[in-house]
Each structure stands twice: as C-alpha cells, then as structure tokens.
C-alpha cells in the first residue's frame, strides 16, 4: 500500500487532530496543530491515500537539532511502512535545512514506537524519569538520538 507522501501545511491541522485523537488522550487540538504548522521552525510530512490521511509527523528545529514532536499512523494502516516513510521524508527536510541531529523522547512502554526508532537507526542517549503521565502514575521517557 502507501499513497502519496508530501510536506504539510496549516490546512492539514484538522485532519491531524482527528488522527491524533485515535491514539492519544488527551489529543492535541486542531488549533494546536495549526499553530505548529504555521511556524517557520516546524518540519512535517504526511502520507495520504487519496484524500485520506494515513500517517503524519511533526518536528521542530532547535539549533542544529530536529526534535520529533509526534508521529503516528492510522490504526488500520499500521505496519505498512507509513510512519517509516514519514520519518525518512522529515529527515530529508531537516537535512536540507542544515539540521544535523534527530532527538526524541518516547515512553518506555511504547514498544511499537521504540521498535520504529531503533529500526531507523536511533540509539538511546538518556532517560527522563516519570516524564509522561499515565492515569494515576508516571512513565519514563527514553531519550533517543540519531545523526
Ligand atoms: C509507532 C507507530 C507510529 C508506527 O507506525 P507504523 O506506520 O505502523 O510503522 P511502520 O509500518 O512504518 O514500521 C516501520 C518499522 O518500525 C518497526 N515497528 C513498527 N511498529 C512495530 C510493532 N508494532 N512491533 C514491532 N516493530 C514495529 C518495524 O521495524 C517496522 O518495520 P517492518 O514492518 O518492516 O518490520 C504507530 O504504531 C502509531 O501510530 N502508534 C501510536 C502513536 C505513537 O505512539 N506514536 C509515537 C509516539 S509520538
């Protein structure tokens, strides 16, 4: 499968919010996505099948680094290479801006995301204890990086 990969615009915000709400609680609002997408420092790409949003990612330039803010694919389209394609496209976008290093945080218990990042060459560089809230408890963030 896998449709068209393209970079994102502010007009994509509502679709991003709808897809985000399928995997995250609380989800980010369309307004939050729009304000990210309007920033010069934001890097974003997406995969669509026709008009349907299959996957997207959002990252932010910080100095020479690019910080991954979020990446996700539609639950019905997982393991079809969509997130990998989004990540690779954002890597090209970041490199063309002269950014030299990816940095991201991922919840210790998020096995699919950790597997994706390891498969794409990220390595663990640290831990942020109790970084994420999970119900009543907290979960560590693993900090990962890649040139
Ligand atoms: C993590 C996530 C983005 C992966 O998206 P995806 O489109 O299914 O990933 P891909 O199909 O591109 O997978 C690429 C590689 O990552 C690894 N991978 C991805 N999901 C995996 C899983 N569930 N188990 C094991 N490996 C996995 C594999 O190496 C895979 O390659 P392969 O299928 O050839 O073996 C997706 O599961 C998701 O949207 N999760 C909810 C949101 C989330 O947690 N996002 C990350 C934190 S912001």
């Amino acid at each position: 499968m896998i449709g068209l990969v393209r970079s994102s615009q502010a007009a994509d915000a509502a679709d991003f919010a709808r897809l985000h709400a399928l995997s995250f609680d609380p989800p980010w609002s369309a307004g939050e996505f729009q304000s990210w997408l309007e920033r010069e420092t934001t890097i974003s790409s997406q995969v669509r099948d026709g008009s349907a949003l299959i996957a997207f990612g959002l990252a932010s330039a910080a100095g020479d680094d690019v910080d991954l803010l979020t990446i996700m694919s539609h639950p019905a389209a997982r393991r079809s290479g969509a997130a990998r394609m989004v990540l690779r496209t954002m890597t090209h976008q970041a490199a063309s801006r002269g950014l030299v290093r990816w940095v991201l945080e991922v919840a210790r218990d998020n096995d699919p995301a950790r597997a994706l990042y390891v498969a794409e060459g990220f390595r663990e560089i640290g831990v942020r204890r109790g970084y994420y809230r999970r119900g009543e408890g907290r979960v560590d963030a693993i900090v990962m990086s890649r040139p």
Side-chain angles (χ1 to χ4, degrees):
M1 87 140 243
I2 290 296
L4 183 73
V5 188
R6 67 164 169 87
S7 56
S8 312
Q9 302 152 359
D12 296 313
D15 285 348
F16 284 13
R18 272 191 292 273
L19 190 55
H20 197 259
L22 298 181
S23 291
F24 294 100
D25 183 20
W28 296 359
S29 69
E32 285 172 284
F33 278 112
Q34 182 168 344
S35 90
W36 276 112
L37 290 166
E38 284 170 347
R39 286 179 211 178
E40 291 255 318
T41 46
T42 295
I43 289 166
S44 176
S45 78
Q46 62 189 283
V47 172
R48 286 192 184 253
D49 182 9
S51 62
L53 180 65
I54 302 297
F56 73 93
L58 195 66
S60 182
D64 290 339
D65 289 348
V66 52
D67 291 335
L68 185 66
L69 302 172
T70 193
I71 186 167
M72 60 170 306
S73 57
H74 192 287
R78 299 222 168 125
R79 294 306 289 274
S80 56
R84 171 188 282 134
M85 198 168 284
V86 163
L87 194 55
R88 289 185 180 179
T89 304
M90 286 198 296
T91 301
H92 289 302
Q93 292 168 329
S96 72
R97 291 190 190 201
L99 305 174
V100 299
R101 188 177 75 140
W102 270 113
V103 181
L104 62 81
E105 287 105 20
V106 57
R108 190 187 284 285
D109 58 1
N110 191 343
D111 293 333
R114 291 181 67 179
L116 166 68
Y117 304 140
V118 168
E120 289 300 296
F122 285 76
R123 295 292 170 260
E124 187 174 328
I125 58 166
V127 175
R128 294 188 171 147
R129 303 243 168 257
Y131 189 75
Y132 296 106
R133 196 169 282 134
R134 266 289 188 286
E136 300 298 300
R138 316 278 313 182
V139 177
D140 295 345
I142 307 297
V143 186
M144 302 183 84
S145 175
R146 197 192 81 183

